[in-house]
Amino acid sequence: MSADDRVREALSHWPTAAGASWHPLGNGLINQTWAVRHPGGDAVLQRVSDIFDPAIHENIRAVTARLAERGIATPSLIPTRQGALFADLRGHGVW
């Protein structure tokens, strides 16, 4: 499966996927990251390294929520169509 196929599969889990385009964002040493443009705006899609437990997304949500409560600009996680904080594509990673 090509990188574009994996990104397409991952994006299909989010409501923002329709009409999306993407390109690699940097050269991460741990995670793989793409800039995503979709009809609703811009987003970042990241394949999280296998060294992290998927529960890391709960920590990210908690930290970004706390920052936002204090008026600090911060990115936020976009829930999947099922309301999850990540999509597990099994052999193709956690996104």
Side-chain angles (χ1 to χ4, degrees):
M1 178 180 283
S2 74
D4 277 345
D5 289 339
R6 287 191 301 273
V7 170
R8 189 174 294 107
E9 181 182 357
L11 283 174
S12 73
H13 291 267
W14 279 270
T16 55
S21 62
W22 59 87
H23 65 273
L25 186 61
N27 296 313
L29 297 174
I30 298 175
N31 301 317
Q32 297 171 324
T33 309
W34 289 264
V36 177
R37 174 154 290 168
H38 57 89
D42 296 329
V44 172
L45 176 68
Q46 192 167 63
R47 181 185 181 277
V48 180
S49 172
D50 296 338
I51 66 171
F52 296 108
D53 186 295
I56 191 75
H57 293 85
E58 285 296 335
N59 294 346
I60 294 167
R61 186 205 52 77
V63 169
T64 56
R66 182 69 66 180
L67 291 170
E69 287 171 5
R70 290 183 168 52
I72 299 169
T74 182
S76 59
L77 295 175
I78 301 170
T80 66
R81 293 179 193 280
Q82 295 76 28
L85 296 178
F86 63 92
D88 187 349
L89 304 186
R90 303 294 171 205
H92 299 290
V94 171
W95 299 72

